[in-house]
Amino acid sequence: MMLERAQALADEIIRIRRDIHAHPELGFQEHRTAALVADTLHEIGGIKVTTGVAKTGVIGELGDGDGPVIAIRADMDALPIQEENQVEYASTNPGVMHACGHDAHTAMLLGAAHLLRERFAAEQLRGRVRFLFQPSEEGWDDEVKSGGLRMVEEGALDGVDAVIALHVDSTLPVGQVTIRGGWTSAAVDDFKGYIRGTGGHGAYPHLGTDPVFMLSHVLNALFGIRARLINPMEPAILSVGTVRGGHASNVIPSEIFVQGTLRSFSEEVRAKLAREVERAFAVAEAFGGSAEVKITRGYPAGWNDERVAEWMSNVAGDFLGADAIDRSRTGMGAEDFAYMTKKAPGAMLMLGAAINDGIVRGHHTPIFDIDERALPIGTAILAETALRFLRGEVKL
């Protein structure tokens, strides 16, 4: 049974995960991690390895050219966060930390490569498995391209019939998974804007124009977009993350900086959010000021193909029991795996990995960590899903 084989590899998967966790690297800087991945794939044997994909990504190809092709993706990058965990494998890179589980994703995919290499040798399987070790899921480069987009542009999904992935969930118990067809992650766009006036002396506000006063009206307009301009049946989020301006209590500043994030599923709502943000900033003009706003389009919304999601759900159910599957509605987080599911039918599963000690270790926090008992479970789900596709037991 695949889960038993993965359990036998648990110590090695955990060792790799801890090694990567202790040496985190930011997006498009994953040189050590990529080298570890490439070396491990070479050690497994029988896998064609290509490095330098999407700058620092790695692709492994197992099998021959005759038959179905399935890709499995793992992301490798860390976040600019100072780790606070007091563990033996804590980050040795100040200010950088694996606070989202990408170290675990990489380790599990290497484990899956090992298991699938065994099955290819034992069963003389037809087709191919493509292992995608992706850089920079957490952000984009100067060309506003993330690792997922760059991998797609460089042909990593060419000829692929289906693509799968998983993501650890530090709030879901070990032995539970979340998987559903349909929308699985939101489109994300960022806005950065400036509200400008003349500024002036705090004792003589009537002699100038005050961007702080304008800000209050701009913020009301921004927060009114979701409440009054978007169909309440359509998912959408507008959040302001930064408001900055001024240096002294008695000086009215001449400029206020505001930035935030937009989340949506449908392209219609996405476009409307962008238009309304521009109109909201323009409110400053009614008070004698001016505004400038720039909206940067980020990842598209992610879609789980119903058929592929069912494959993964069935595998997880076989290993963990039907009660382990949660099909509740998705949240509004963003994932650049969405670029891959636009190229080929695919699905992402959320893998329960919460440490059961009453402490909430949220993603992107300094105390993020996972229960490593989840690692062989995730490894087995990835390997078994790919194996069933190659055997022809599931079809598109």
Side-chain angles (χ1 to χ4, degrees), residues 102-123:
H102 298 186
D103 51 341
H105 304 165
T106 300
M108 284 186 281
L109 185 50
L110 288 170
H114 181 94
L115 295 176
L116 287 166
R117 171 70 176 121
E118 289 180 345
R119 299 323 306 158
F120 263 83
E123 300 184 30

Side-chain angles (χ1 to χ4, degrees), residues 156-394:
L157 273 291
D158 290 357
V160 167
D161 299 306
V163 58
I164 61 173
L166 60 74
H167 200 300
V168 293
D169 186 337
S170 64
T171 66
L172 191 68
V174 174
Q176 299 283 308
V177 301
T178 301
I179 182 75
R180 89 278 292 169
W183 295 119
T184 186
S185 63
V188 55
D189 301 316
D190 290 344
F191 65 88
K192 295 181 179 180
Y194 294 88
I195 303 168
R196 298 188 174 100
T198 62
H201 197 297
Y204 307 98
H206 59 292
L207 298 180
T209 53
D210 184 351
V212 179
F213 173 66
M214 301 171 202
L215 170 68
S216 64
H217 298 278
V218 170
L219 288 177
N220 277 336
L222 286 171
F223 290 125
I225 294 172
R226 163 69 268 189
R228 286 295 177 266
L229 299 175
I230 302 295
N231 183 335
M233 303 304 293
E234 292 277 6
I237 288 175
L238 183 153
S239 292
V240 174
T242 303
V243 176
R244 185 170 62 242
H247 300 284
S249 63
N250 64 341
V251 177
I252 298 171
S254 60
E255 182 178 273
I256 300 290
F257 173 71
V258 183
Q259 70 176 349
T261 188
L262 307 172
R263 306 294 172 101
S264 58
F265 289 135
S266 81
E267 281 298 317
E268 180 181 356
V269 170
R270 188 179 192 183
K272 187 173 181 63
L273 284 171
R275 290 196 303 270
E276 296 301 336
V277 165
E278 292 176 346
R279 291 182 60 197
F281 272 86
V283 167
E285 298 173 6
F287 299 94
S290 63
E292 173 189 349
V293 61
K294 178 181 179 181
I295 298 171
T296 302
R297 281 175 67 91
Y299 310 155
W303 180 268
N304 272 358
D305 182 90
E306 297 280 356
R307 300 157 297 179
V308 182
E310 184 179 7
W311 306 344
M312 300 191 81
S313 176
N314 289 340
V315 169
D318 289 346
F319 291 161
L320 304 171
D323 292 342
I325 312 301
D326 173 18
R327 295 183 175 85
S328 59
R329 190 173 179 85
T330 188
M332 300 293 283
E335 238 292 348
D336 83 337
F337 183 62
Y339 289 117
M340 297 188 179
T341 56
K342 280 184 171 290
K343 182 71 175 179
M348 173 178 282
L349 175 144
M350 301 300 292
L351 177 71
I355 298 174
N356 186 23
D357 62 359
I359 299 173
V360 178
R361 294 175 171 81
H363 293 250
H364 292 208
T365 67
I367 62 169
F368 174 87
D369 203 357
I370 62 170
D371 188 327
E372 293 175 321
R373 293 178 301 167
L375 299 182
I377 297 173
T379 298
I381 290 173
L382 292 175
E384 181 68 21
T385 302
L387 184 61
R388 292 184 186 183
F389 182 65
L390 293 171
R391 286 172 174 166
E393 296 174 11
V394 293

Side-chain angles (χ1 to χ4, degrees), residues 7 16 34-35 38 50 62 91-92 127 159 178 247 270 295 301 353 359:
Q7 294 287 4
I16 292 172
T50 304
L62 173 63
S91 171
T92 58
T178 301
H247 300 284
R270 188 179 192 183
I295 298 171
I359 299 173

Side-chain angles (χ1 to χ4, degrees), residues 50-61:
T50 304
T51 59
V53 183
K55 300 184 180 182
T56 49
V58 179
I59 294 178
E61 188 101 0

